[in-house]
Amino acid sequence: MGEFDLIKRYFEQPQMERDDRVHLSIGDDCALVTVPENNWVAITTDTMVEHTHFLPSISPEDLAYKAVATNLSDSAAMGAEPKWVSLALTLPKVDENWLALFSQSLLQTLKDYNVTLIGGDTTKGGLSVTITAQGLVEKGKALCRHQAKVGDLIYVSGTLGDSAAGLQQILSGKSAIGFDEEFLQQRHLRPTPRIALGKSLIGVAHAAIDLSDGLYSDLGHILKRSHCAAEIDLARLPFSSSLLNRYDRKQAEQFALSGGEDYELCFTIPPENQPLFESRLKNLDVPCTCIGRIVPAFEEKLEKEKCGQFSIRFLRDGEPIDYLANLGFDHFKE
Ligand code: ADP
Ligand code: MG
């Protein structure tokens, strides 16, 4: 099968209801879309390469789902509504069975999130999937990393550490046995992009990021860009019962801080917006937990050293603790 037949058969399929803003889709040199006047386009790309970002054992359905979900998670972290994606697919060979499962899962996932596939590229080589997502956000309203302010409350959505635990199980060759193992592995394979939450943070939150590399490093990006520091109370980190059933608390904390791929949102909210935020949260099906606050950047050399390159002071039940020293700082290399 040639490249064009492949694209036509697997990716140029009737999708959901038509998006009126898409003028031209798959089939020409470029896709053409109309952007509403008072909007910005939020553009993001993520690549998944076999052996680097996923194991050869991953199913085509899970791979397609995750490639879409990780991109939409970036849209969510800006408060944008994802609208269109393009797909650059590199395949070692044309395996029609694999392609059918992959494309079905990809198109279904896009449909579930009301997003249209408008183009891409298909090449031969080691298996890799690159998706570029384009979303709309009202001009001037996007949630950026540099806008956290001293005094902001720090929140995270969902539960942390599940994905890293799920990956550990998959790597150890454990096929999902009980409910908890199944839950953790699904959290790794099928993360939920928090799109509705991201949109509801517009006009409420100052800064946001999605958690792809673990809380310690991802919150650190907000702190660096916003020139401030943070206090995080470890006792407040939200964990799933499945994680705590299978791992002790210290291990759960390590997964949350330095494990990756939870794809939850971490965001900062000024205290005066807390009531509005809590009321908006009632309409969403996603729990959010306040885990700390933004504080002024550390001045003293000693404090900087103690809290590490990402300027996070750890507390437990309100009392400062020397968490990094306990863990060994190397564990948290960028
Ligand atoms: P060009 O050579 O002009 O870049 P291509 O031959 O690569 O065009 O692609 C032909 C059309 O098919 C383009 O509209 C492109 O966006 C689309 N396309 C190619 N690969 C994919 C894919 N995997 N998924 C969706 N659309 C694709
Ligand atoms: Mg091309």
Side-chain angles (χ1 to χ4, degrees), residues 34-75:
T34 306
V35 179
E37 207 177 319
N38 62 338
N39 280 222
W40 276 338
V41 185
I43 306 168
T44 177
T45 298
D46 261 311
T47 294
M48 293 180 68
V49 177
E50 187 171 33
H51 298 291
T52 308
H53 303 100
F54 60 90
L55 300 166
S57 60
I58 196 171
S59 73
E61 295 97 318
D62 285 340
L63 177 60
Y65 175 91
K66 196 162 173 180
V68 172
T70 57
N71 273 276
L72 301 193
S73 175
D74 281 322
S75 306

Side-chain angles (χ1 to χ4, degrees), residues 10-19 25-26 85 106-108 110-111 115-119:
Y10 294 107
F11 297 105
E12 202 181 331
Q13 290 182 348
Q15 294 162 44
M16 36 185 249
E17 62 268 35
R18 255 178 58 82
D19 178 344
S25 184
I26 295 173
V85 297
L106 184 105
L107 295 174
Q108 184 60 50
L110 291 174
K111 193 174 167 185
V115 175
T116 313
L117 177 64
I118 57 169

Side-chain angles (χ1 to χ4, degrees), residues 153-230:
L153 303 166
I154 301 169
Y155 279 81
V156 290
S157 64
T159 55
L160 304 184
D162 298 326
S163 176
L167 174 63
Q168 194 183 75
Q169 297 197 356
I170 292 169
L171 285 173
S172 73
K174 261 191 205 159
S175 56
I177 31 177
F179 174 86
D180 295 326
E181 290 79 3
E182 176 69 21
F183 173 85
L184 296 172
Q185 294 188 24
Q186 284 303 307
R187 289 273 291 159
H188 178 72
L189 294 170
R190 299 246 165 182
T192 307
R194 300 295 189 188
I195 297 165
L197 173 63
K199 279 169 63 185
S200 78
L201 293 176
I202 296 276
V204 173
H206 277 156
I209 191 167
D210 67 327
L211 297 175
S212 54
D213 296 327
L215 180 67
Y216 182 67
S217 136
D218 288 326
L219 174 59
H221 293 310
I222 288 184
L223 301 176
K224 264 195 182 153
R225 297 252 163 181
S226 301
H227 307 289
C228 48

Side-chain angles (χ1 to χ4, degrees), residues 3-4 7 11 25-29 87 89 117-122:
E3 181 190 337
F4 301 107
I7 295 163
F11 297 105
S25 184
I26 295 173
D28 213 311
D29 294 314
L87 163 71
L89 186 60
L117 177 64
I118 57 169
D121 199 20
T122 308

